[in-house]
Amino acid sequence: MSSHALGIMVSAESLHAVLLERSNEEITVKFRFSSEKGEVEDESLPFDGSDDLASGVEEESDDVTIQFGDDEGSGGEMFMGSEFDELEEGGGVGEEVEDTWNFQAEFDDVLDKCAEHGYEDPKIAFCSSTSQIDDVELRLPPDETDEEEAEETEHGLPLPASRSTLLEMLEEQYEGEVDDGRVGFVSMHRTGDGYQRVLALIARPGGPVLSTLKSMQDQTLSRSPQTRLLDADVSLYLGLARSMLQLPPGTPEKTILVRSGTEDTLVLFMEGNTLRQSEHLPELTAEDSAETICSRVLLLQDEYGMGQVQHLMLVAERDEEVLASAFKSYFSTAELHVLRSHLPGGEDTEAEAYVGAMGVALRLLDDAEFAPYFQPINLLAKEYVASRLRLPVGWPVPALLTLLAVATLGFVWLYFMNASTISERRSELQSLKQKVAQVDQQALQRRIDSLQAATAEYAGANETLDTLLQGSNKWSSGLATVTGQMNDIRGLTIDQWSPQSNAEVRVLGRSTDRSKVVQLAQQLDGSILGLTFTETRDVSLYDFEVTVPLDTTEPGAIEYWREQRGEQLAAGEDAVEVGPQEASASAPDSSTTPTAPSPAARAAPNPKAASASGEVEASGRAQGRTDTVDAASSIWTVVVASVLESAAAEETAQRFRKRLDGDAYPVQVQQSPKNGRYRVGVGRFASVQNALSVLQDMNGILPEGAWLLKMTEADEDAAPAEASASTSAPSDPSESGRSV
């Protein structure tokens, strides 16, 4: 341990410091320091007291009495008593506000004096007075498993429970704020009914010691002092009493320790080396008479049932000999000890607070004569305990140096990284320069021309494909047209888009201006069906409903294809093969109802009528041939479904038999010998003209994707297929008008 230590006793109004040094097994006092709170030493003042008043100025008497109210009539009722009653009840003005003393200036003086004696950085221990410490007595139920009480040691009985258990009990019984690191426990004797007792010493939040250390740590370039310990005067005086008496463990001798100071009085009752009771008397000070102090101690002795006392220990700041004589007369059978005489250099000490300062300094010196008798209590917060590694300057200086070193290394690393990157880029540029020099300019131009030609070819093919698909994407192109116009106008939004017919749609939206709705309708050739005004959050809005016509222009390629198909149907030629569904027998079908028509069928709402009109035009030149072919080997029917499963085909046939006249339009199911699909045919017609006429007349009854099929005599004699459990798929709309 350290060969020198600085002990500081801090009370609410004063500070006392003692520097001790141990050499050759002897402890000596190097110096003592004392300071009072608010003490001012200013020699520039013109006078110090009433004797130094200026000539001609008479001193006024301090005996002044001010009385409010009438003592006779109202019994001493105060004038405007209703106003001052609030102050008496604790309304805020009369409350005493605790003022935390920051003794940094006095602390700096103590450290300077240590430096003068050659101790520039001493290890420091503090002791707080009882006014800064709260004590709570914890009672634990007797442990039934222990037949005998634990053995007593030099520093009393051991704690009956772990620290965590005691902290939990303290939180239940103590209403104030508890910092687990600033709580100490002192074991006490059991009560008469067997309850184990522990005295908890709780350091109040803040306090003069912590506030001073915090202010010193907050200074940028100052180094915090080597603070190691913060003890309470109860545990400290208890350890000093044990070290002075040195009673053997387990002795029944009883001791009373009285510490009388200018601020309060502390009384400790001991039995052997263990604390029996602690009593703090703030109303009793060294200003009171010796008889008053003695009588109060006697009352406490009777109250706690101490009985006969063998040892009486005394520490007093004033008139210690008078107080010792009074105690000797009151406790004639007890051996009187003056605690001051037991400490190093204690005979020369005047203030009793030096005893506490010496006690905490002795704890740091770890002397064999005193160390075993002190409780291991430290009420100093962890953040204020000085580190074992001490630097000659404050922590900001090494922090700034470390930051500077890291920044320097970072910039050096960045410099080398940038230099390496620049070198790599230069190497890449050199290699590219060589490759560019070796490239044939003419060959490169030929590649560019080839790419441009391919681009032009693809663009022409896309234009041709656009002309063939014109009319099949009328919904998407119509939506694109409307949204494009609304983006150009701005201030318009679409809420709903729904088709009204094949040629127009209904648009519901919102606008910030009525004129923009009119402008939209004009540009789209639409009609305004409704315009409603609403106001939302002070903003005027218009809900509108507009019908917009769609572009249904059919490309010339579709018209040409229709004409060719009409001629082929009129001539009865098998010029077109089966559609994609019948060409692929493995394609899955999900419904017997027809799906949406192909792009060509969507462009022409009634392809059957168009085919029929084409056939009428060609009937004059192909009539003879058609009749011959029909009469000889074929019969026409209208196919309303083409599926993979016979059961689905039979279900569709039954539905059409109920819907149509079975005698006029018989419904039959036949299987194609080419792809194995099952076709549901309606009617048997001798010529294609009759079949087309029926297909046109039954528009709305037959599915939109119905198509014509030419059957041979072999198809008529084919047996119906067996039904299966699978569902049918819609016929391919592109098969409309095709022959097989």
Side-chain angles (χ1 to χ4, degrees):
M1 294 296 292
S2 174
S3 60
H4 62 277
L6 177 63
I8 301 177
M9 177 66 186
V10 181
S11 63
E13 299 293 337
S14 61
L15 178 145
H16 300 273
V18 176
L19 179 64
L20 299 182
E21 183 181 18
R22 184 179 61 183
S23 59
N24 298 326
E25 302 301 329
E26 182 182 2
I27 299 176
T28 58
V29 179
K30 304 305 295 184
F31 74 89
R32 297 181 180 87
F33 180 88
S34 178
S35 178
E36 299 292 334
K37 180 180 179 182
E39 182 177 344
V40 179
E41 296 180 0
D42 192 350
E43 299 178 356
S44 62
L45 294 177
F47 50 85
D48 295 332
S50 59
D51 297 336
D52 298 330
L53 293 175
S55 60
V57 179
E58 296 182 358
E59 183 179 2
E60 296 182 359
S61 174
D62 293 335
D63 190 9
V64 179
T65 303
I66 301 177
Q67 179 178 355
F68 296 94
D70 188 3
D71 293 339
E72 297 179 359
S74 58
E77 182 179 359
M78 181 179 289
F79 174 68
M80 298 181 65
S82 60
E83 299 293 335
F84 291 97
D85 286 343
E86 296 180 358
L87 301 181
E88 296 177 358
E89 295 174 359
V93 178
E95 294 179 352
E96 183 179 354
V97 180
E98 184 177 356
D99 183 15
T100 302
W101 179 29
N102 188 329
F103 55 88
Q104 181 176 355
E106 293 79 359
F107 194 19
D108 291 337
D109 293 340
V110 174
L111 296 178
D112 292 340
K113 195 167 184 180
C114 290
E116 293 177 1
H117 287 77
Y119 306 96
E120 296 184 355
D121 193 17
K123 293 180 174 59
I124 305 169
F126 286 96
C127 179
S128 291
S129 62
T130 312
S131 60
Q132 303 296 328
I133 304 296
D134 291 338
D135 55 348
V136 177
E137 183 180 323
L138 304 178
R139 293 200 175 191
L140 289 77
D143 191 356
E144 298 178 356
T145 60
D146 295 339
E147 298 179 357
E148 298 181 358
E149 189 177 359
E151 295 182 359
E152 190 180 45
T153 61
E154 289 83 357
H155 53 77
L157 291 173
L159 294 176
S162 63
R163 182 178 177 85
S164 59
T165 303
L166 296 176
L167 288 174
E168 292 178 0
M169 296 183 60
L170 181 62
E171 292 179 356
E172 297 176 358
Q173 302 183 24
Y174 183 64
E175 298 179 355
E177 182 180 355
V178 178
D179 184 359
D180 295 349
R182 304 193 64 202
V183 179
F185 297 100
V186 178
S187 181
M188 303 176 66
H189 273 288
R190 293 193 180 191
T191 59
D193 51 0
Y195 277 87
Q196 297 174 336
R197 297 186 301 158
V198 175
L199 182 65
L201 302 176
I202 309 163
R204 297 178 183 176
V209 176
L210 295 189
S211 63
T212 302
L213 294 178
K214 183 177 184 305
S215 63
M216 297 184 71
Q217 288 186 358
D218 292 341
Q219 294 179 5
T220 56
L221 298 179
S222 65
R223 181 178 59 171
S224 59
Q226 293 195 69
T227 309
R228 293 282 187 261
L229 180 66
L230 175 60
D231 202 349
D233 55 355
V234 173
S235 57
L236 183 65
Y237 282 107
L238 186 63
L240 291 176
R242 293 167 180 162
S243 65
M244 183 176 183
L245 297 176
Q246 296 186 0
L247 299 176
T251 181
E253 296 183 6
K254 299 177 182 179
T255 306
I256 297 179
L257 186 145
V258 179
R259 193 257 312 155
S260 177
T262 57
E263 299 177 3
D264 56 4
T265 298
L266 177 66
V267 183
L268 300 180
F269 297 93
M270 301 171 55
E271 184 174 347
N273 292 324
T274 304
L275 178 67
R276 181 166 181 175
Q277 201 68 39
S278 172
E279 190 70 28
H280 176 228
L281 306 174
E283 71 281 359
L284 195 65
T285 65
E287 303 292 339
D288 296 310
S289 62
E291 289 75 10
T292 303
I293 299 175
C294 292
S295 60
R296 186 64 180 273
V297 173
L298 286 173
L299 290 176
L300 293 175
Q301 180 187 7
D302 295 338
E303 180 180 352
Y304 296 131
M306 286 292 294
Q308 186 176 3
V309 178
Q310 285 77 28
H311 303 279
L312 181 64
M313 201 165 296
L314 180 63
V315 180
E317 184 170 354
R318 294 182 181 178
D319 300 332
E320 189 174 61
E321 296 180 357
V322 176
L323 186 60
S325 177
F327 270 106
K328 186 64 177 176
S329 61
Y330 279 90
F331 297 89
S332 58
T333 60
E335 183 180 359
L336 181 64
H337 306 273
V338 178
L339 184 59
R340 188 191 315 274
S341 61
H342 175 64
L343 301 177
E347 296 83 358
D348 301 332
T349 304
E350 297 179 355
E352 55 85 19
Y354 285 121
V355 177
M358 287 185 182
V360 291
L362 289 173
R363 285 196 60 183
L364 287 184
L365 290 178
D366 196 20
D367 187 76
E369 186 180 355
F370 299 95
Y373 302 98
F374 290 108
Q375 297 285 141
I377 295 177
N378 190 357
L379 305 181
L380 187 64
K382 294 182 179 179
E383 58 267 23
Y384 299 108
V385 177
S387 175
R388 298 296 178 182
L389 178 61
R390 299 287 293 174
L391 297 176
V393 292
W395 67 266
V397 175
L400 291 176
L401 293 177
T402 304
L403 180 61
L404 181 60
V406 172
T408 303
L409 293 177
F411 281 113
V412 171
W413 174 82
L414 183 62
Y415 170 78
F416 284 106
M417 287 295 297
N418 290 337
S420 176
T421 304
I422 292 172
S423 178
E424 292 177 359
R425 296 297 181 268
R426 285 177 178 173
S427 301
E428 293 177 0
L429 290 176
Q430 291 294 334
S431 61
L432 290 176
K433 185 177 181 180
Q434 296 176 1
K435 291 181 180 179
V436 171
Q438 298 174 1
V439 171
D440 188 358
Q441 300 293 334
Q442 294 181 356
L444 183 61
Q445 185 62 42
R446 287 194 296 271
R447 292 178 61 185
I448 294 174
D449 296 340
S450 176
L451 291 175
Q452 291 179 350
T455 302
E457 183 179 356
Y458 288 134
N462 288 335
E463 292 180 359
T464 304
L465 184 61
D466 290 341
T467 58
L468 291 176
L469 295 178
Q470 186 177 359
S472 62
N473 59 343
K474 61 180 179 180
W475 302 108
S476 59
S477 62
L479 180 59
T481 302
V482 173
T483 54
Q485 292 293 337
M486 295 179 68
N487 290 335
D488 294 339
I489 297 174
R490 297 186 178 278
L492 298 172
T493 57
I494 294 179
D495 292 340
Q496 185 178 355
W497 164 284
S498 59
Q500 290 292 99
S501 62
N502 290 333
E504 63 179 7
V505 295
R506 182 170 65 99
V507 179
L508 299 178
R510 184 167 294 180
S511 172
T512 58
D513 192 356
R514 181 173 55 185
S515 61
K516 294 181 180 180
V517 180
V518 178
Q519 183 180 357
L520 177 65
Q522 290 176 351
Q523 293 183 4
L524 296 176
D525 295 333
S527 301
I528 300 176
L529 301 181
L531 187 64
T532 306
F533 171 77
T534 59
E535 186 174 1
T536 304
R537 296 181 179 177
D538 299 333
V539 177
S540 300
L541 298 175
Y542 296 88
D543 296 331
F544 62 86
E545 180 180 359
V546 179
T547 58
V548 179
L550 299 176
D551 185 12
T552 58
T553 304
E554 298 178 353
I558 295 180
E559 293 294 337
Y560 177 76
W561 178 79
R562 287 178 178 174
E563 292 177 2
Q564 294 295 322
R565 290 298 299 150
E567 293 177 0
Q568 292 173 3
L569 290 175
E573 298 176 354
D574 298 337
V576 182
E577 296 182 356
V578 294
Q581 286 187 351
E582 294 195 1
S584 177
S586 63
D589 297 329
S590 60
S591 175
T592 58
T593 58
T595 60
S598 66
R602 287 197 300 267
N606 195 355
K608 298 170 286 295
S611 300
S613 61
E615 294 180 16
V616 172
E617 295 177 358
S619 61
R621 55 180 182 272
Q623 182 65 38
R625 184 175 178 275
T626 304
D627 294 339
T628 302
V629 174
D630 292 343
S633 60
S634 63
I635 295 176
W636 291 86
T637 184
V638 179
V639 178
V640 295
S642 176
V643 296
L644 292 174
E645 304 293 340
S646 60
E650 187 63 31
E651 182 181 355
T652 305
Q654 291 294 337
R655 187 168 65 252
F656 278 96
R657 289 189 185 104
K658 295 179 182 180
R659 187 184 303 177
L660 303 175
D661 187 1
D663 297 334
Y665 304 103
V667 180
Q668 65 278 353
V669 178
Q670 294 183 352
Q671 185 178 13
S672 173
K674 295 182 178 180
N675 53 22
R677 297 179 67 89
Y678 295 91
R679 297 167 177 155
V680 180
V682 176
R684 302 165 63 86
F685 308 100
S687 63
V688 67
Q689 288 83 0
N690 295 337
L692 288 173
S693 177
V694 172
L695 184 62
Q696 184 176 3
D697 293 341
M698 290 188 179
N699 186 16
I701 299 176
L702 299 179
E704 186 177 357
W707 49 283
L708 301 182
L709 174 66
K710 182 174 67 174
M711 301 184 301
T712 61
E713 293 180 357
D715 296 334
E716 295 182 46
D717 297 336
E722 293 295 329
S724 64
S726 62
T727 58
S728 61
S731 60
D732 190 355
S734 62
E735 295 177 346
S736 179
R738 298 180 183 178
S739 60
V740 180

